[in-house]
Amino acid sequence: MRVTQLLVPTTKETPNDATLPSHIFLVRAGFIQGVGSGLYNFLPLGKRSLDRVQRVVKEELDKAGAQEVSLGFVTPASLWRESGRFDKYGKELLRFKDRKDNDFVLGPTHEEMMVNLVKGSVKSYKELPLNLYQINLKFRDEIRPRFGLMRGREFLMKDGYSFHVSHEDMYREFCLMEETYKKIFTRLGLEFRIVEADSGAIGGSGSKEFMVLAESGEDTIVVCDSCEYGANIEAAVRAPKGCEVEPPEANYSLFRTPDTTTIEQLSEFFKVDPYYLVKTVAKRALLDDGESKIVLFALRGSDELQETKATNAAKANELVDISAEELEKAGLIAGYMGPVIVPEGIELICDETLKGAANLICGANEKDYHIVGVDLGALECKFSDLVAVAEGDGCPHCNGKLGYTKGIEVGHIFQLGTRYSDPLGANFLDENGKSVPFIMGTYGIGVSRLLAAIIEQHHDENGCIWTRESAPFDLTIIVSNAKDEEQMNFALSIYEELRGKGLEVLLDDSKERFGFKMKNYELIGIPYGLIIGKNLADGSVELVRREGLVKETLSTENLAEVVAGKLC
RNA sequence: CGGAGUGUAGCGCAGUCUGGUAGCGCACCUGGUUUGGGACCAGGGGGUCGAAGGUUCGAGUCCUUUCACUCCGACCA
């Protein structure tokens, strides 16, 4: 392809809403164009990169025995009602009506559609297992789209679904997909980490996320400094944590504690380690059909509440803060709440570290009073892990210490079980002629997000640095002076020769000055550049490698062979 | 939805407080000079000032309403 025929609107200026390198460079280098909040057009270069990334994904999945299909983007709402997700998915689901007033949604993910497809065509265990995927547009009406392709509303995703007769077979496929994903992300040149994750709105258990390590990542991931353990903060666990300070001895009694509403103040007041204090957090849990309830979460004062864990424990769709008036109306005293005295009708969930705990101090749910000498041994309530793992906590698998790092979620694999097949009535006949629901797994890759992730990890101050399998072209031939016939003719012949060897080559035949072309080359970030310039007269040209911008002088003798050899 | 802010040429902005013929930089077009690191000179094209209503002799500017977008928190591939 020649630059003079290619639409590449590069700019010197940065769009004012772009803050991340991936967003800035993808726009400036003419890969994408913003058209609305979270909506982007892919220009020729962007489309080429997208296609190459897609090809890698497809090749590896096909090798693993998965089959590609393409499902409708517009989905009848009835399917979503059957699975119970029409309400659960919330406002992210873009709903609309057709002319006959029927409800539809734009698919944010396609469990329902895929189950429906298989339900109608697979009847026997003999046809299983089956792994179907598609690479298609998704739409999620994000609360706050940002960061360019990183969090768009419309995005390209590969979503795969597998169907099995047993949990064992599904687990086998789950592991196969984990290996396949590793190959995909490795081929794309990404540094990533596989972490344990929360399953979120998709449902299921034992899910794993593939995180591209990058400062700008939106997820906090917890990693061990000495073993392979890694988990999203939403699902991270730690080694049991004790307290070296002696517990405060006291008999159960009320204690006056005026103006002592925070853990710090309380710790100071009693001269007691926060480990022996009970932190009680009130949240409003939003449930299906617009219902909600107030839930109290109790944990040790030395710990922080992890909201996703809390949301799951409360079986809620979402937790929101409660206003002071609401608290009062519910009979809760802000700053003095506790798990021992809870008003009627309010659910209490305690962190596991409080199970059977004694020698505690907690709120009395009475203004200016706490209770000392609290023993929760007899407390009857739900216990669940609610704690946000902190940096420095112990690893649950070894003696290492846990720390935080940031990651971009580019893949997520789930062991679904019968979460969708059951409510949607997707059954098959097993060996005994019994009708049973499919055991399923589901596997996603954010394909358009991958472009952003690659640039987040591979760029410098001058622009993009595409990895070999994600670059829109393998090589750019830069003609220093396009009006120089000798240079131009040589460039054309080497261009044809290299293309004949199967390389994707871009020829910069524009009449721009040399400096402009080099800046453009660096901004676009194709892995190699071949500079045909004034040294051509001496029988030499230069090969520049985008990563590190190292130049190498090559003889024009046998050039195509030499270049092709270096690129492969 | 909560808080903050912005809508003026393709992009980045000034002009708005204090009403009086629509500006600058980049990009674009023409001619010329230049040609190994985002050149220079001269000329040129391009705007329902987000939308609707109002005040006024006169509104980009003042008032009301509305829409869109961005930034800071809760969602996710």
Side-chain angles (χ1 to χ4, degrees):
Chain A
M1 177 63 72
R2 290 165 177 240
V3 163
T4 47
Q5 297 169 335
L6 186 70
L7 178 66
V8 239
T10 56
T11 58
K12 239 193 290 193
E13 300 197 43
T14 303
N16 78 87
D17 59 322
T19 51
L20 293 190
S22 63
H23 190 184
I24 292 170
F25 291 138
L26 286 173
V27 172
R28 280 193 50 206
F31 281 70
I32 59 170
Q33 179 187 54
V35 286
S37 182
L39 304 173
Y40 291 88
N41 286 333
F42 282 83
L43 304 180
L45 287 181
K47 174 64 175 148
R48 289 185 75 102
S49 273
L50 198 58
D51 284 349
R52 289 190 93 171
V53 168
Q54 234 177 110
R55 195 185 314 151
V56 171
V57 172
K58 179 170 168 52
E59 278 174 16
E60 292 300 330
L61 284 169
D62 289 352
K63 247 189 264 174
Q67 304 169 60
E68 189 174 10
V69 295
S70 182
L71 304 180
F73 186 27
V74 173
T75 317
S78 55
L79 277 175
W80 283 76
R81 291 216 170 84
E82 279 177 53
S83 70
R85 286 209 294 181
F86 192 69
D87 292 312
K88 197 166 186 84
Y89 219 94
K91 288 191 174 158
E92 263 175 64
L93 195 58
L94 185 68
R95 303 136 203 255
F96 58 95
K97 290 176 187 294
D98 68 2
R99 66 205 299 167
K100 289 183 244 165
D101 223 29
N102 294 318
D103 288 314
F104 287 89
V105 306
L106 279 189
T109 169
H110 281 89
E111 280 79 9
E112 283 82 358
M113 281 286 261
M114 194 66 93
V115 169
N116 196 50
L117 181 153
V118 169
K119 178 184 169 183
S121 52
V122 176
K123 299 291 172 204
S124 160
Y125 72 96
K126 292 175 194 164
E127 297 170 84
L128 297 176
L130 203 54
N131 187 334
L132 299 171
Y133 74 95
Q134 63 166 345
I135 300 175
N136 250 344
L137 276 184
K138 299 279 178 283
F139 192 93
R140 292 184 190 169
D141 201 354
E142 293 279 348
I143 306 162
R144 193 146 101 77
R146 60 186 132 170
F147 303 146
L149 294 184
M150 197 80 96
R151 179 176 298 282
R153 288 194 293 175
E154 186 180 89
F155 58 98
L156 193 66
M157 172 166 141
K158 168 262 157 180
D159 50 324
Y161 310 84
S162 69
F163 300 82
H164 308 271
V165 297
S166 65
H167 276 98
E168 292 69 45
D169 195 54
M170 182 268 281
Y171 185 68
R172 175 200 53 73
E173 189 76 12
F174 181 82
C175 296
L176 174 64
M177 284 298 116
E178 182 173 340
E179 289 310 309
T180 305
Y181 275 33
K182 277 190 207 169
K183 287 181 192 159
I184 291 170
F185 298 130
T186 303
R187 273 181 68 180
L188 290 173
L190 289 164
E191 193 191 329
F192 63 96
R193 185 126 183 181
I194 301 171
V195 303
E196 292 173 16
D198 172 63
S199 303
I202 308 288
S205 61
S207 84
K208 289 187 180 178
E209 286 170 334
F210 290 73
M211 292 288 189
V212 169
L213 303 180
E215 270 308 303
S216 55
E218 293 187 79
D219 287 271
T220 299
I221 54 185
V222 173
V223 292
C224 176
D225 63 9
S226 69
C227 78
E228 281 297 294
Y229 179 72
N232 192 304
I233 184 83
E234 298 172 353
V237 293
R238 64 185 183 194
K241 193 176 177 181
C243 182
E244 285 156 15
V245 181
E246 286 297 306
E249 299 283 349
N251 290 326
Y252 184 93
S253 59
L254 271 183
F255 206 100
R256 189 169 149 77
T257 55
D259 299 321
T260 313
T261 57
T262 66
I263 293 295
E264 294 75 47
Q265 289 168 347
L266 202 59
S267 169
E268 181 68 20
F269 185 94
F270 284 109
K271 305 283 182 248
V272 160
D273 191 283
Y275 181 79
Y276 298 106
L277 306 176
V278 180
K279 179 185 285 186
T280 309
V281 181
K283 295 271 181 189
R284 178 167 293 280
L286 304 183
L287 312 170
D288 288 345
D289 304 320
E291 301 275 312
S292 75
K293 62 181 177 185
I294 295 177
V295 183
L296 285 187
F297 297 98
L299 59 163
R300 287 189 181 268
S302 48
D303 290 326
E304 293 292 328
L305 182 71
Q306 213 299 313
E307 266 207 37
T308 302
K309 289 181 180 179
T311 307
N312 292 340
K315 293 195 175 14
N317 294 336
E318 198 185 338
L319 295 181
V320 294
D321 289 339
I322 300 189
S323 66
E325 300 86 69
E326 275 184 291
L327 274 181
E328 208 171 307
K329 231 163 85 185
L332 291 164
I333 311 301
Y336 293 92
M337 295 180 290
V340 180
I341 299 167
V342 177
E344 194 78 8
I346 288 180
E347 186 174 346
L348 171 70
I349 300 175
C350 288
D351 182 64
E352 278 165 355
T353 58
L354 288 177
K355 198 176 249 175
N359 300 314
L360 299 167
I361 298 173
C362 72
N365 201 42
E366 190 175 323
K367 186 155 172 42
D368 296 342
Y369 283 95
H370 278 83
I371 307 173
V372 299
V374 173
D375 183 340
L376 296 180
L379 183 69
E380 296 230 347
C381 80
K382 181 172 181 179
F383 285 93
S384 192
D385 174 26
L386 301 174
V387 169
V389 170
E391 289 194 274
D393 284 353
C395 173
H397 298 297
C398 73
N399 289 324
K401 288 267 173 266
L402 298 176
Y404 287 173
T405 172
K406 290 286 181 182
I408 301 165
E409 185 187 355
V410 291
H412 199 157
I413 57 178
F414 301 79
Q415 302 177 52
L416 274 184
T418 58
R419 167 69 183 82
Y420 295 91
S421 50
D422 208 5
L424 292 168
N427 299 328
F428 66 97
L429 294 180
D430 70 9
E431 288 169 285
N432 307 313
K434 221 177 95 188
S435 181
V436 290
F438 295 106
I439 310 294
M440 293 177 58
T442 180
Y443 321 96
I445 293 180
V447 178
S448 47
R449 178 181 282 181
L450 269 172
L451 293 197
I454 289 166
I455 297 307
E456 282 306 313
Q457 222 172 53
H458 302 277
H459 69 270
D460 61 17
E461 67 278 7
N462 299 311
C464 306
I465 303 175
W466 291 98
T467 58
R468 193 157 71 88
E469 298 224 45
S470 63
F473 291 93
D474 300 315
L475 171 81
T476 306
I477 297 173
I478 300 157
V479 184
S480 172
N481 182 357
K483 287 180 191 162
D484 181 318
E485 269 185 45
E486 200 191 335
Q487 287 184 16
M488 205 53 210
N489 288 336
F490 183 79
L492 277 169
S493 71
I494 194 83
Y495 170 67
E496 291 302 342
E497 234 183 304
L498 287 168
R499 292 211 310 164
K501 291 182 183 297
L503 290 174
E504 296 277 1
V505 186
L506 182 63
L507 173 65
D508 190 345
D509 56 346
S510 66
K511 294 194 169 56
E512 296 292 344
R513 295 159 64 91
F514 180 74
F516 181 91
K517 290 188 184 185
M518 287 307 292
K519 286 290 181 193
N520 243 331
Y521 166 74
E522 285 157 17
L523 179 58
I524 292 168
I526 287 164
Y528 288 92
L530 187 64
I531 303 169
I532 314 294
K534 58 187 182 188
N535 299 332
L536 183 66
D538 313 327
S540 68
V541 295
E542 278 175 306
L543 184 70
V544 56
R545 188 178 165 165
R546 178 60 186 89
E547 186 169 14
L549 293 175
V550 278
K551 285 183 184 169
E552 178 181 2
T553 303
L554 299 177
S555 157
T556 51
E557 291 286 318
N558 211 14
L559 184 60
E561 285 291 332
V562 175
V563 170
K566 287 193 180 284
L567 264 60
C568 297

